[in-house]
Amino acid sequence: MNLEQATLVEVADAIRAGRVTSREVVEACLLRIARWQPSINAFVAIFAEAALSAADRADAAVSAGSARGPLHGVPLAHKDMFFRPSRRSSLGSGAPPPVGAAQSSLLARLDAAGAIEIGTLNMCEFALGPTGHNAWLGDCRNPWHTDHIACGSSSGGGAAIAARLAYGSFGSDTGGSVRLPASATGVLGLKPTNGRVTRAGMMPLSPSIDVPGIFARCARDVARLLGCVAGHDLRDARISRLPVADYEGALGRGVAGLRVGVPQNHFLEGTAGDVALRLQESLSALSALGVEIVPVTVPAPEHLTELSRVLVYSEAAAIHGPWLREHARDYSPQVRMRAATGLAIPAAAYQQAQQLRPEILRRFVAAVFATCDVLHLPTLGIPVPTLTETNVGGSAAMWQKIAVLVRCTAPFNYLGLPALSVPCGFTDNGLPTSFQLVGRPFAEATLLRVAHAYEGVTDWGRRAPSLRT
Amino acid sequence: MREIDSNAVLSLARAQGHDWLDEAAAARVAAGAAAATAAVTATLRAIEPGLLVADAADFLATLEALAEPRG
């Protein structure tokens, strides 16, 4: 078995069947991490000994006929902001504040499914940044070309999965922080519906908006990971009790007859020519699969990102305010300014942005999903920029640079809708690009079904970067 | 309506104990806060709700009510 080429599901099934051992899989990942880490800085910590011990226990369980769950023996790695009582997460900070000793519900569910945590991943400071720069932990770099950003804030997730350093990863998505790094590195990135996946024991940035998201190399892998963590959690009051779909089972239902909507306003404005070409090619491929491509006018999209920011910055200021007041120098300039923005947003504006949210969602769903089943738009409308081009720190260029990056992602954080970034080729600079699918609330199975069908007629997800030495 | 400016930001920040903000940082914060707040004002105008009586706590229930039909 070629462990570098194999997907998460293929490896999980092979371990369970005894065709490969978990130790062999973990050792292969550790070898690749040792080779790649100096170039891309995807990891914050590597748990080599603990992961090998866990792999041996997993192999013993397989021999005894008592494999734990659908991720038995599979090495994963996650953004360094999911808590375990036994360790202190960096939160992407050089001087992380104390956060208590909560256990992440999400990690507990992955443990129960048999997954092995091989390390923790780089991230932007306090998950507040779309580029992947980190003044404290070092910048995470794009494995396709290390002069370029891996995007953020879950920067290590995209880089690690693209370079085949682990088989799946969880990050958080508050403005595009999973979808952007996924797009920049050529892997899939899912932001589930708000309320589908528990945040208990995850560092909060903006509790109204935060959602854990998934990085993986194909739709089936995303489906398996989502199935392991989705569903109600008594420790998170904002999680739905709606039944969890059979995401893997739904993949094979085909897409003929589905309507894929292409926005006629806002989202495609400013899209670079080479990105637009890849998007058009992906629509042609979907059309050949039998989907109907329909034009859609999106209602009032121009304010959605700023409405999201009202909530994010107000809540970030509330969360960071006491610590920031006393430890401002422990924050990089851009992060402390963005966190402080909430200090100047009127409380009434914050409350109004909250009260408007259900009505704006109703209007959006009624206007868009009466016409189509899923929206198709860019994840990132420009080619992946370099670290130098985006190293604006806290300068006057900060807001404009951020706005360009999150233009097509942040609106769906305010709306709470599920969104999936799917690789669809490369731009002229040799870096990956993607399309984004957005669905009705809790339509993750439909998004994954479209991505799975698309993967069947393209090979973008199977391509891997080469290490340049 | 006047936008939030750097003087207002400095006053608000210092009233909340954030003495670290200087003029340059306050200008950046003001730009962000003004744009965000303006979006709320513009959206309120567009929706024309009269009294804004919606309950923000309805958001999850709204997502559930609008969920894709299972099939």
Side-chain angles (χ1 to χ4, degrees), chain A residues 11-276:
Chain A
V11 162
D13 293 350
I15 291 172
R16 181 173 287 269
R19 295 195 302 273
V20 66
T21 65
S22 175
R23 172 170 269 271
E24 288 171 325
V25 174
V26 169
E27 283 179 339
C29 285
L30 290 171
L31 198 62
R32 290 183 63 76
I33 292 169
R35 289 176 56 219
W36 275 92
Q37 175 67 7
S39 298
I40 61 173
N41 195 31
F43 277 77
V44 173
I46 301 158
F47 309 139
E49 285 187 27
L52 288 169
S53 297
D56 290 340
R57 290 195 297 277
D59 290 332
V62 170
S63 298
S66 57
R68 294 183 73 182
L71 301 175
H72 187 86
V74 177
L76 309 178
H78 316 296
K79 191 174 188 177
D80 195 16
M81 55 181 277
F82 295 95
F83 304 149
R84 288 192 191 274
S86 57
R87 69 179 185 222
R88 187 169 184 184
S89 302
S90 75
L91 317 179
S93 167
V99 292
Q103 165 68 50
S104 157
S105 286
L106 185 143
L107 291 186
R109 290 181 181 187
L110 294 174
D111 292 345
I116 293 173
E117 193 180 12
I118 200 167
T120 53
L121 296 177
N122 205 344
M123 58 183 282
C124 297
E125 186 181 353
F126 298 116
L128 200 50
T131 62
H133 289 89
N134 189 310
W136 314 109
L137 306 178
D139 302 335
C140 182
R141 291 171 177 269
N142 195 309
W144 291 93
H145 195 307
T146 53
D147 287 346
H148 290 255
I149 59 172
C151 281
S153 65
S154 310
S155 48
I161 302 310
R164 277 55 173 163
L165 310 186
Y167 287 89
S169 174
F170 280 85
S172 65
D173 194 317
T174 306
S177 285
V178 165
R179 288 163 287 159
L180 290 171
S183 180
T185 58
V187 301
L188 277 81
L190 174 69
K191 181 202 91 67
T193 310
N194 285 56
R196 184 74 293 178
V197 179
T198 176
R199 295 93 37 88
M202 178 180 96
M203 182 202 77
L205 171 61
S206 170
S208 295
I209 303 280
D210 295 337
V211 184
I214 297 172
F215 295 94
R217 285 174 36 216
C218 66
R220 185 174 295 282
D221 290 357
V222 176
R224 168 110 13 138
L225 290 164
L226 181 61
C228 290
V229 299
H232 188 247
D233 181 6
L234 289 171
R235 295 179 56 218
D236 185 341
R238 299 193 201 198
I239 299 304
S240 174
R241 290 181 181 274
L242 285 183
V244 173
D246 175 5
Y247 301 113
E248 278 191 80
L251 292 175
R253 288 173 49 196
V255 294
L258 275 181
R259 298 164 303 164
V260 172
V262 178
Q264 302 300 293
N265 55 330
H266 187 73
F267 290 107
L268 292 169
E269 293 166 15
T271 302
D274 46 1
V275 175

Side-chain angles (χ1 to χ4, degrees), chain A residues 194 240 243 245 253 303 306 310 321 325 328 336-337 341 343-344 352 354-355 357-358 362 394-396 399 415 440-441 446, chain B residues 4 16-18 20 25 28-29 32-33 35-37 39-40 42-44 52 54 56 59-60 62-64 66-68 70-71:
Chain A
N194 285 56
S240 174
R253 288 173 49 196
H303 296 307
E306 292 295 344
V310 170
R325 191 184 296 134
R336 68 175 173 243
M337 270 188 263
T341 299
L343 300 174
Q352 287 160 348
Q354 289 282 22
Q355 286 180 270
R357 206 174 174 200
R362 274 190 287 271
S395 72
W399 293 118
L415 294 167
R440 295 178 70 104
T446 301
Chain B
I4 297 164
Q16 295 171 79
H18 289 270
W20 56 270
R28 313 270 193 275
V29 168
T37 307
V40 176
T43 305
L44 284 168
L52 190 57
F59 186 62
L60 179 58
T62 305
L63 283 168
E64 291 173 334
L66 297 171
E68 185 179 66
R70 303 195 79 195

Side-chain angles (χ1 to χ4, degrees), chain A residues 423-439:
Chain A
C424 65
F426 296 83
T427 50
D428 295 346
N429 64 1
L431 275 291
T433 190
S434 294
F435 62 84
Q436 183 180 198
L437 300 170
V438 178

Side-chain angles (χ1 to χ4, degrees), chain A residues 128 306 309-318 324 333-346 398-399 402, chain B residues 4 9 12-13 16 18 20-21 25-37:
Chain A
L128 200 50
E306 292 295 344
R309 285 180 172 170
V310 170
L311 303 187
V312 172
Y313 292 142
S314 299
E315 293 177 4
L324 179 62
Q334 185 183 113
V335 172
R336 68 175 173 243
M337 270 188 263
R338 292 180 72 190
T341 299
L343 300 174
I345 292 174
M398 170 180 82
W399 293 118
I402 294 168
Chain B
I4 297 164
V9 169
L12 284 165
Q16 295 171 79
H18 289 270
W20 56 270
L21 238 74
R28 313 270 193 275
V29 168
T37 307

